[in-house]
Amino acid sequence: MAFVLYEVKDSVAVITINRPEALNALNSAVLDELNAVIDGIDVNVVRAVVLTGAGEKSFVAGADIGEMSTLTKAEGEAFGKKGNDVFRKLETLPVPVIAAVNGFALGGGCEISMSCDIRICSDNAMFGQPEVGLGITPGFGGTQRLARTVGVGMAKQLIYTARNIKADEALRIGLVNAVYPQAELMDAAMKLASQIAANAPIAVRNCKKAINDGLQVNIDDALVIEEKLFGDCFESYDQKEGMANFLRKKDDPAKVKQVAFKNE
Ligand code: CO8
């Protein structure tokens, strides 16, 4: 692939958007490749994904402004749908996705990071939704996910003013979970991914679905979603072995060890 790199190490996959000459801006070709890479993830092998951008300057500097500049209303809507479909696929992937934001995360870059489960960033990161300064709205989920991530008032302020924010402010408003020196970001992302990957995959997958699906409905329906996904874990090897491992310590504390979960 020309614009998206994909590698799997142990059970952690790394997706790198690789168009550094344009600060990893998302054109149609990048979106198509990203879509194909996400489709190709083997969730029986991969237990966590890290998404990042090539180079030291930018995660993703937005949708490609050159490509968008001549679109008609209908083409604009179609381009918005193209991005939304890919980002939604990432958001609903059955394994957690960590955005390792290594620089600019503007417009579509901020939006794709918000379709990931967890965002961490480097100290040179910059986030923002600059679209109204370009005469458009955030169109890859920003009007919806920013409000759900940092609250309605802060999302409206950031979107209406088109003001970019640095890493420390992103941390303060809860847009990212942690900030690292740039040289340490990928190690931190891989460590976090490995911690997730060591846990029971069916349980992690069901947690993601319960949180995501539950947030879209009222609390009574959300708790039913939780109950079903909780029940779904039982009778699995991972549930039986995970609990048996804990109970073995009653006989002999030395017997308790890290469970080798099997995803079954
Ligand atoms: N699109 C296309 N090319 C870009 C983009 C972009 N978003 N961002 C940077 N580039 C290109 C530049 O054109 C430049 O190319 P070249 O070397 O050929 O001139 C190269 O990347 C390097 O960029 P700069 O020289 O500008 O680098 P600077 O360090 O001076 O500035 C900035 C970095 C501040 C990030 C600056 O490049 C910038 O402001 N970029 C645009 C950021 C932006 O506004 N992003 C939001 C775009 S809109 C969007 O994402 C909407 C998403 C929803 C779409 C819905 C569709 C309907």
Side-chain angles (χ1 to χ4, degrees):
M1 293 213 178
F3 297 125
V4 181
L5 308 177
Y6 182 71
E7 61 178 327
V8 180
K9 195 176 167 213
D10 298 323
S11 49
V12 176
V14 178
I15 301 174
T16 306
I17 298 175
N18 184 34
R19 198 188 168 210
E21 67 281 4
L23 302 184
N24 305 320
L26 302 170
N27 60 17
S28 294
V30 178
L31 290 172
D32 285 340
E33 288 192 15
L34 199 52
N35 191 46
V37 163
I38 297 168
D39 280 342
I41 295 173
D42 183 350
V43 295
N44 294 312
V45 173
V46 171
R47 296 186 181 181
V49 176
V50 174
L51 175 72
T52 194
E56 296 189 341
K57 194 171 167 184
S58 183
F59 173 69
V60 170
D64 191 295
I65 297 170
E67 183 175 334
M68 285 190 295
S69 62
T70 57
L71 298 183
T72 63
K73 285 183 191 293
E75 289 166 342
E77 188 175 333
F79 190 54
K81 176 166 170 42
K82 189 181 184 78
N84 274 340
D85 287 351
V86 178
F87 291 12
R88 184 71 178 141
K89 197 176 274 187
L90 197 60
E91 186 171 48
T92 56
L93 193 73
V95 297
V97 184
I98 299 163
V101 177
N102 57 319
F104 294 115
L106 303 176
C110 187
E111 289 169 308
I112 196 171
S113 80
M114 290 189 291
S115 65
C116 299
D117 295 270
I118 294 167
R119 283 156 298 287
I120 60 175
C121 74
S122 54
D123 47 12
N124 68 329
M126 182 175 282
F127 293 81
Q129 297 292 162
E131 286 89 346
V132 296
L134 297 164
I136 57 172
T137 62
F140 287 167
T143 60
Q144 304 309 308
R145 292 198 183 92
L146 190 59
R148 286 166 167 79
T149 306
V150 302
V152 175
M154 183 59 75
K156 285 181 171 174
Q157 184 173 329
L158 289 172
I159 290 172
Y160 298 166
T161 60
R163 185 174 68 86
N164 295 337
I165 58 171
K166 293 182 178 169
D168 56 348
E169 189 169 355
L171 179 65
R172 185 177 59 74
I173 67 173
L175 185 53
V176 297
N177 290 4
V179 181
Y180 298 90
Q182 175 140 57
E184 296 170 21
L185 177 67
M186 275 311 281
D187 283 349
M190 295 304 285
K191 187 173 171 196
L192 185 55
S194 298
Q195 282 175 336
I196 293 168
N199 287 320
I202 295 168
V204 172
R205 180 167 68 222
N206 286 7
C207 288
K208 174 168 178 170
K209 189 165 173 53
I211 294 168
N212 282 359
D213 292 358
L215 282 171
Q216 308 309 321
V217 298
N218 68 60
I219 185 69
D220 292 314
D221 291 341
L223 290 172
V224 173
I225 289 171
E226 184 186 75
E227 288 155 17
K228 289 189 184 311
L229 289 161
F230 174 68
D232 181 64
C233 296
F234 287 83
E235 301 179 52
S236 66
Y237 168 88
D238 288 351
Q239 174 263 323
K240 288 180 187 162
E241 181 56 24
M243 291 188 175
N245 183 58
F246 175 80
L247 294 173
R248 278 194 286 267
K249 82 175 175 195
K250 288 189 172 165
D251 302 333
D252 179 0
K255 284 185 184 165
V256 177
K257 55 182 187 333
Q258 174 66 41
V259 178
F261 289 110
K262 287 187 177 175
N263 201 10
E264 59 186 41

PDB file of all heavy atoms in Angstrom, residues 21-23 25 57 61-65 68 76 79-80 104 106-108 111 130-131 134 139-140, ligand 1:
ATOM      1  N   GLU A  21       4.588  13.804   3.293  1.00  0.00           N
ATOM      2  CA  GLU A  21       4.796  15.010   2.474  1.00  0.00           C
ATOM      3  C   GLU A  21       3.588  15.943   2.534  1.00  0.00           C
ATOM      4  O   GLU A  21       3.714  17.143   2.285  1.00  0.00           O
ATOM      5  CB  GLU A  21       5.124  14.632   1.012  1.00  0.00           C
ATOM      6  CG  GLU A  21       4.013  13.968   0.211  1.00  0.00           C
ATOM      7  CD  GLU A  21       3.811  12.474   0.503  1.00  0.00           C
ATOM      8  OE1 GLU A  21       4.482  11.938   1.398  1.00  0.00           O
ATOM      9  OE2 GLU A  21       2.938  11.862  -0.154  1.00  0.00           O
ATOM     10  N   ALA A  22       2.423  15.407   2.889  1.00  0.00           N
ATOM     11  CA  ALA A  22       1.224  16.238   3.070  1.00  0.00           C
ATOM     12  C   ALA A  22       0.753  16.164   4.521  1.00  0.00           C
ATOM     13  O   ALA A  22      -0.441  16.319   4.814  1.00  0.00           O
ATOM     14  CB  ALA A  22       0.120  15.785   2.123  1.00  0.00           C
ATOM     15  N   LEU A  23       1.697  15.947   5.426  1.00  0.00           N
ATOM     16  CA  LEU A  23       1.406  15.838   6.863  1.00  0.00           C
ATOM     17  C   LEU A  23       0.312  14.810   7.149  1.00  0.00           C
ATOM     18  O   LEU A  23      -0.509  14.968   8.034  1.00  0.00           O
ATOM     19  CB  LEU A  23       1.042  17.219   7.449  1.00  0.00           C
ATOM     20  CG  LEU A  23       2.105  18.321   7.274  1.00  0.00           C
ATOM     21  CD1 LEU A  23       1.679  19.610   7.966  1.00  0.00           C
ATOM     22  CD2 LEU A  23       3.469  17.870   7.805  1.00  0.00           C
ATOM     23  N   ALA A  25      -2.315  14.033   5.457  1.00  0.00           N
ATOM     24  CA  ALA A  25      -3.696  14.451   5.165  1.00  0.00           C
ATOM     25  C   ALA A  25      -4.439  13.307   4.478  1.00  0.00           C
ATOM     26  O   ALA A  25      -3.874  12.531   3.698  1.00  0.00           O
ATOM     27  CB  ALA A  25      -3.694  15.697   4.277  1.00  0.00           C
ATOM     28  N   LYS A  57       6.179  15.160  12.778  1.00  0.00           N
ATOM     29  CA  LYS A  57       5.498  16.459  12.813  1.00  0.00           C
ATOM     30  C   LYS A  57       3.982  16.331  12.930  1.00  0.00           C
ATOM     31  O   LYS A  57       3.325  17.202  13.507  1.00  0.00           O
ATOM     32  CB  LYS A  57       5.858  17.203  11.525  1.00  0.00           C
ATOM     33  CG  LYS A  57       5.532  18.657  11.532  1.00  0.00           C
ATOM     34  CD  LYS A  57       6.131  19.343  10.303  1.00  0.00           C
ATOM     35  CE  LYS A  57       5.563  20.729  10.127  1.00  0.00           C
ATOM     36  NZ  LYS A  57       6.052  21.381   8.915  1.00  0.00           N
ATOM     37  N   ALA A  61      -3.063  15.818   9.464  1.00  0.00           N
ATOM     38  CA  ALA A  61      -3.373  17.263   9.410  1.00  0.00           C
ATOM     39  C   ALA A  61      -4.728  17.543   8.784  1.00  0.00           C
ATOM     40  O   ALA A  61      -4.976  18.648   8.297  1.00  0.00           O
ATOM     41  CB  ALA A  61      -2.277  18.009   8.666  1.00  0.00           C
ATOM     42  N   GLY A  62      -5.594  16.544   8.753  1.00  0.00           N
ATOM     43  CA  GLY A  62      -6.966  16.777   8.295  1.00  0.00           C
ATOM     44  C   GLY A  62      -7.281  16.073   7.004  1.00  0.00           C
ATOM     45  O   GLY A  62      -6.462  15.338   6.451  1.00  0.00           O
ATOM     46  N   ALA A  63      -8.517  16.296   6.552  1.00  0.00           N
ATOM     47  CA  ALA A  63      -8.874  15.836   5.216  1.00  0.00           C
ATOM     48  C   ALA A  63      -8.110  16.686   4.214  1.00  0.00           C
ATOM     49  O   ALA A  63      -7.686  17.804   4.519  1.00  0.00           O
ATOM     50  CB  ALA A  63     -10.379  15.975   5.017  1.00  0.00           C
ATOM     51  N   ASP A  64      -7.926  16.140   3.012  1.00  0.00           N
ATOM     52  CA  ASP A  64      -7.107  16.823   2.003  1.00  0.00           C
ATOM     53  C   ASP A  64      -7.861  18.035   1.445  1.00  0.00           C
ATOM     54  O   ASP A  64      -8.878  17.888   0.754  1.00  0.00           O
ATOM     55  CB  ASP A  64      -6.743  15.844   0.882  1.00  0.00           C
ATOM     56  CG  ASP A  64      -5.675  16.435  -0.027  1.00  0.00           C
ATOM     57  OD1 ASP A  64      -5.957  17.447  -0.693  1.00  0.00           O
ATOM     58  OD2 ASP A  64      -4.562  15.885  -0.046  1.00  0.00           O
ATOM     59  N   ILE A  65      -7.350  19.209   1.756  1.00  0.00           N
ATOM     60  CA  ILE A  65      -8.052  20.445   1.384  1.00  0.00           C
ATOM     61  C   ILE A  65      -8.049  20.631  -0.128  1.00  0.00           C
ATOM     62  O   ILE A  65      -9.040  21.095  -0.712  1.00  0.00           O
ATOM     63  CB  ILE A  65      -7.424  21.660   2.111  1.00  0.00           C
ATOM     64  CG1 ILE A  65      -7.590  21.493   3.630  1.00  0.00           C
ATOM     65  CG2 ILE A  65      -8.081  22.974   1.650  1.00  0.00           C
ATOM     66  CD1 ILE A  65      -6.804  22.495   4.476  1.00  0.00           C
ATOM     67  N   MET A  68     -10.762  18.530  -1.565  1.00  0.00           N
ATOM     68  CA  MET A  68     -12.116  18.979  -1.205  1.00  0.00           C
ATOM     69  C   MET A  68     -12.503  20.286  -1.888  1.00  0.00           C
ATOM     70  O   MET A  68     -13.688  20.616  -1.984  1.00  0.00           O
ATOM     71  CB  MET A  68     -12.207  19.193   0.314  1.00  0.00           C
ATOM     72  CG  MET A  68     -12.272  17.923   1.137  1.00  0.00           C
ATOM     73  SD  MET A  68     -12.657  18.279   2.855  1.00  0.00           S
ATOM     74  CE  MET A  68     -11.221  19.204   3.383  1.00  0.00           C
ATOM     75  N   GLY A  76     -19.477  16.607  -1.705  1.00  0.00           N
ATOM     76  CA  GLY A  76     -19.064  16.876  -0.327  1.00  0.00           C
ATOM     77  C   GLY A  76     -19.736  15.902   0.637  1.00  0.00           C
ATOM     78  O   GLY A  76     -19.090  15.322   1.523  1.00  0.00           O
ATOM     79  N   PHE A  79     -18.183  12.545   0.234  1.00  0.00           N
ATOM     80  CA  PHE A  79     -16.856  12.469   0.834  1.00  0.00           C
ATOM     81  C   PHE A  79     -16.981  12.347   2.357  1.00  0.00           C
ATOM     82  O   PHE A  79     -16.255  11.582   3.007  1.00  0.00           O
ATOM     83  CB  PHE A  79     -16.024  13.697   0.455  1.00  0.00           C
ATOM     84  CG  PHE A  79     -14.570  13.597   0.821  1.00  0.00           C
ATOM     85  CD1 PHE A  79     -13.790  12.519   0.408  1.00  0.00           C
ATOM     86  CD2 PHE A  79     -13.955  14.591   1.578  1.00  0.00           C
ATOM     87  CE1 PHE A  79     -12.438  12.435   0.753  1.00  0.00           C
ATOM     88  CE2 PHE A  79     -12.605  14.515   1.921  1.00  0.00           C
ATOM     89  CZ  PHE A  79     -11.848  13.433   1.505  1.00  0.00           C
ATOM     90  N   GLY A  80     -17.939  13.104   2.927  1.00  0.00           N
ATOM     91  CA  GLY A  80     -18.199  12.985   4.369  1.00  0.00           C
ATOM     92  C   GLY A  80     -18.597  11.563   4.729  1.00  0.00           C
ATOM     93  O   GLY A  80     -18.118  10.998   5.720  1.00  0.00           O
ATOM     94  N   PHE A 104       0.337  17.110  14.637  1.00  0.00           N
ATOM     95  CA  PHE A 104      -0.946  17.729  14.285  1.00  0.00           C
ATOM     96  C   PHE A 104      -2.072  16.692  14.210  1.00  0.00           C
ATOM     97  O   PHE A 104      -1.924  15.653  13.548  1.00  0.00           O
ATOM     98  CB  PHE A 104      -0.848  18.424  12.929  1.00  0.00           C
ATOM     99  CG  PHE A 104       0.081  19.606  12.911  1.00  0.00           C
ATOM    100  CD1 PHE A 104       1.234  19.588  12.146  1.00  0.00           C
ATOM    101  CD2 PHE A 104      -0.210  20.737  13.660  1.00  0.00           C
ATOM    102  CE1 PHE A 104       2.099  20.682  12.132  1.00  0.00           C
ATOM    103  CE2 PHE A 104       0.649  21.843  13.658  1.00  0.00           C
ATOM    104  CZ  PHE A 104       1.807  21.807  12.891  1.00  0.00           C
ATOM    105  N   LEU A 106      -5.578  17.680  13.291  1.00  0.00           N
ATOM    106  CA  LEU A 106      -6.494  18.774  12.951  1.00  0.00           C
ATOM    107  C   LEU A 106      -7.618  18.251  12.052  1.00  0.00           C
ATOM    108  O   LEU A 106      -7.391  17.374  11.215  1.00  0.00           O
ATOM    109  CB  LEU A 106      -5.728  19.893  12.241  1.00  0.00           C
ATOM    110  CG  LEU A 106      -4.547  20.462  13.044  1.00  0.00           C
ATOM    111  CD1 LEU A 106      -3.775  21.492  12.217  1.00  0.00           C
ATOM    112  CD2 LEU A 106      -5.034  21.092  14.348  1.00  0.00           C
ATOM    113  N   GLY A 107      -8.808  18.819  12.210  1.00  0.00           N
ATOM    114  CA  GLY A 107      -9.930  18.427  11.363  1.00  0.00           C
ATOM    115  C   GLY A 107     -10.112  16.921  11.376  1.00  0.00           C
ATOM    116  O   GLY A 107     -10.316  16.306  12.430  1.00  0.00           O
ATOM    117  N   GLY A 108     -10.003  16.302  10.190  1.00  0.00           N
ATOM    118  CA  GLY A 108     -10.150  14.856  10.095  1.00  0.00           C
ATOM    119  C   GLY A 108      -9.158  14.085  10.949  1.00  0.00           C
ATOM    120  O   GLY A 108      -9.407  12.928  11.302  1.00  0.00           O
ATOM    121  N   GLU A 111     -10.665  14.039  14.269  1.00  0.00           N
ATOM    122  CA  GLU A 111     -11.854  13.186  14.167  1.00  0.00           C
ATOM    123  C   GLU A 111     -11.488  11.700  14.159  1.00  0.00           C
ATOM    124  O   GLU A 111     -12.156  10.897  14.796  1.00  0.00           O
ATOM    125  CB  GLU A 111     -12.647  13.578  12.914  1.00  0.00           C
ATOM    126  CG  GLU A 111     -13.318  14.938  13.086  1.00  0.00           C
ATOM    127  CD  GLU A 111     -13.887  15.510  11.793  1.00  0.00           C
ATOM    128  OE1 GLU A 111     -13.136  15.577  10.800  1.00  0.00           O
ATOM    129  OE2 GLU A 111     -15.075  15.861  11.792  1.00  0.00           O
ATOM    130  N   PRO A 130     -10.534  22.988  12.675  1.00  0.00           N
ATOM    131  CA  PRO A 130     -10.432  24.309  12.028  1.00  0.00           C
ATOM    132  C   PRO A 130     -11.429  24.526  10.892  1.00  0.00           C
ATOM    133  O   PRO A 130     -11.338  25.532  10.185  1.00  0.00           O
ATOM    134  CB  PRO A 130      -8.997  24.311  11.482  1.00  0.00           C
ATOM    135  CG  PRO A 130      -8.545  22.904  11.450  1.00  0.00           C
ATOM    136  CD  PRO A 130      -9.485  22.063  12.243  1.00  0.00           C
ATOM    137  N   GLU A 131     -12.404  23.623  10.743  1.00  0.00           N
ATOM    138  CA  GLU A 131     -13.235  23.622   9.534  1.00  0.00           C
ATOM    139  C   GLU A 131     -13.986  24.918   9.274  1.00  0.00           C
ATOM    140  O   GLU A 131     -14.082  25.364   8.123  1.00  0.00           O
ATOM    141  CB  GLU A 131     -14.239  22.455   9.569  1.00  0.00           C
ATOM    142  CG  GLU A 131     -13.617  21.101   9.306  1.00  0.00           C
ATOM    143  CD  GLU A 131     -13.095  20.396  10.554  1.00  0.00           C
ATOM    144  OE1 GLU A 131     -12.965  21.054  11.605  1.00  0.00           O
ATOM    145  OE2 GLU A 131     -12.824  19.194  10.472  1.00  0.00           O
ATOM    146  N   LEU A 134     -12.471  27.295   7.184  1.00  0.00           N
ATOM    147  CA  LEU A 134     -12.357  26.899   5.775  1.00  0.00           C
ATOM    148  C   LEU A 134     -13.710  26.926   5.074  1.00  0.00           C
ATOM    149  O   LEU A 134     -13.824  26.545   3.906  1.00  0.00           O
ATOM    150  CB  LEU A 134     -11.782  25.470   5.668  1.00  0.00           C
ATOM    151  CG  LEU A 134     -10.363  25.259   6.191  1.00  0.00           C
ATOM    152  CD1 LEU A 134     -10.085  23.774   6.394  1.00  0.00           C
ATOM    153  CD2 LEU A 134      -9.343  25.850   5.225  1.00  0.00           C
ATOM    154  N   GLY A 139     -16.718  17.198   9.213  1.00  0.00           N
ATOM    155  CA  GLY A 139     -17.583  16.285   8.453  1.00  0.00           C
ATOM    156  C   GLY A 139     -17.231  14.829   8.576  1.00  0.00           C
ATOM    157  O   GLY A 139     -17.842  13.975   7.940  1.00  0.00           O
ATOM    158  N   PHE A 140     -16.230  14.518   9.388  1.00  0.00           N
ATOM    159  CA  PHE A 140     -15.880  13.113   9.611  1.00  0.00           C
ATOM    160  C   PHE A 140     -16.181  12.740  11.069  1.00  0.00           C
ATOM    161  O   PHE A 140     -15.395  12.069  11.737  1.00  0.00           O
ATOM    162  CB  PHE A 140     -14.395  12.849   9.303  1.00  0.00           C
ATOM    163  CG  PHE A 140     -14.016  12.847   7.846  1.00  0.00           C
ATOM    164  CD1 PHE A 140     -12.675  12.883   7.468  1.00  0.00           C
ATOM    165  CD2 PHE A 140     -14.966  12.796   6.830  1.00  0.00           C
ATOM    166  CE1 PHE A 140     -12.292  12.864   6.122  1.00  0.00           C
ATOM    167  CE2 PHE A 140     -14.607  12.785   5.481  1.00  0.00           C
ATOM    168  CZ  PHE A 140     -13.260  12.820   5.129  1.00  0.00           C
TER     169      PHE A 140
HETATM  170  N1  CO8 B   1      -4.725  18.938   3.144  1.00  0.00           N
HETATM  171  C1  CO8 B   1      -3.837  18.909   2.111  1.00  0.00           C
HETATM  172  N2  CO8 B   1      -2.525  19.210   2.249  1.00  0.00           N
HETATM  173  C2  CO8 B   1      -2.090  19.522   3.487  1.00  0.00           C
HETATM  174  C3  CO8 B   1      -2.944  19.554   4.610  1.00  0.00           C
HETATM  175  C4  CO8 B   1      -4.311  19.246   4.383  1.00  0.00           C
HETATM  176  N3  CO8 B   1      -5.202  19.193   5.390  1.00  0.00           N
HETATM  177  N4  CO8 B   1      -2.230  19.919   5.677  1.00  0.00           N
HETATM  178  C5  CO8 B   1      -0.959  20.097   5.254  1.00  0.00           C
HETATM  179  N5  CO8 B   1      -0.874  19.844   3.952  1.00  0.00           N
HETATM  180  C6  CO8 B   1       0.318  19.933   3.093  1.00  0.00           C
HETATM  181  C7  CO8 B   1       0.663  21.364   2.745  1.00  0.00           C
HETATM  182  O1  CO8 B   1      -0.114  21.811   1.664  1.00  0.00           O
HETATM  183  C8  CO8 B   1       2.123  21.239   2.418  1.00  0.00           C
HETATM  184  O2  CO8 B   1       2.246  20.724   1.115  1.00  0.00           O
HETATM  185  P1  CO8 B   1       3.342  21.370   0.081  1.00  0.00           P
HETATM  186  O3  CO8 B   1       4.670  21.128   0.737  1.00  0.00           O
HETATM  187  O4  CO8 B   1       3.123  20.609  -1.168  1.00  0.00           O
HETATM  188  O5  CO8 B   1       3.012  22.816  -0.006  1.00  0.00           O
HETATM  189  C9  CO8 B   1       2.609  20.181   3.373  1.00  0.00           C
HETATM  190  O6  CO8 B   1       1.436  19.475   3.807  1.00  0.00           O
HETATM  191  C10 CO8 B   1       3.286  20.759   4.593  1.00  0.00           C
HETATM  192  O7  CO8 B   1       2.388  21.685   5.186  1.00  0.00           O
HETATM  193  P2  CO8 B   1       2.794  23.185   5.581  1.00  0.00           P
HETATM  194  O8  CO8 B   1       3.887  23.677   4.686  1.00  0.00           O
HETATM  195  O9  CO8 B   1       1.556  23.996   5.646  1.00  0.00           O
HETATM  196  O10 CO8 B   1       3.426  22.931   7.018  1.00  0.00           O
HETATM  197  P3  CO8 B   1       3.451  23.969   8.231  1.00  0.00           P
HETATM  198  O11 CO8 B   1       4.317  23.357   9.274  1.00  0.00           O
HETATM  199  O12 CO8 B   1       3.796  25.335   7.755  1.00  0.00           O
HETATM  200  O13 CO8 B   1       1.955  24.022   8.794  1.00  0.00           O
HETATM  201  C11 CO8 B   1      -0.150  23.102   9.472  1.00  0.00           C
HETATM  202  C12 CO8 B   1       1.375  22.900   9.353  1.00  0.00           C
HETATM  203  C13 CO8 B   1      -0.430  24.191  10.519  1.00  0.00           C
HETATM  204  C14 CO8 B   1      -0.763  21.789   9.956  1.00  0.00           C
HETATM  205  C15 CO8 B   1      -0.732  23.508   8.116  1.00  0.00           C
HETATM  206  O14 CO8 B   1      -0.268  22.597   7.116  1.00  0.00           O
HETATM  207  C16 CO8 B   1      -2.223  23.507   8.076  1.00  0.00           C
HETATM  208  O15 CO8 B   1      -2.836  24.426   8.585  1.00  0.00           O
HETATM  209  N6  CO8 B   1      -2.826  22.480   7.430  1.00  0.00           N
HETATM  210  C17 CO8 B   1      -4.263  22.409   7.304  1.00  0.00           C
HETATM  211  C18 CO8 B   1      -4.889  21.990   8.616  1.00  0.00           C
HETATM  212  C19 CO8 B   1      -6.383  21.982   8.471  1.00  0.00           C
HETATM  213  O16 CO8 B   1      -7.017  22.992   8.277  1.00  0.00           O
HETATM  214  N7  CO8 B   1      -6.964  20.767   8.588  1.00  0.00           N
HETATM  215  C20 CO8 B   1      -8.388  20.589   8.513  1.00  0.00           C
HETATM  216  C21 CO8 B   1      -8.770  20.286   7.098  1.00  0.00           C
HETATM  217  S1  CO8 B   1     -10.519  20.226   6.903  1.00  0.00           S
HETATM  218  C22 CO8 B   1     -10.945  18.715   7.471  1.00  0.00           C
HETATM  219  O17 CO8 B   1     -10.142  17.935   7.930  1.00  0.00           O
HETATM  220  C23 CO8 B   1     -12.368  18.393   7.370  1.00  0.00           C
HETATM  221  C24 CO8 B   1     -12.667  16.956   7.729  1.00  0.00           C
HETATM  222  C25 CO8 B   1     -14.066  16.599   7.326  1.00  0.00           C
HETATM  223  C26 CO8 B   1     -14.177  16.538   5.856  1.00  0.00           C
HETATM  224  C27 CO8 B   1     -15.576  16.366   5.445  1.00  0.00           C
HETATM  225  C28 CO8 B   1     -15.686  16.337   3.938  1.00  0.00           C
HETATM  226  C29 CO8 B   1     -16.962  16.875   3.383  1.00  0.00           C
END
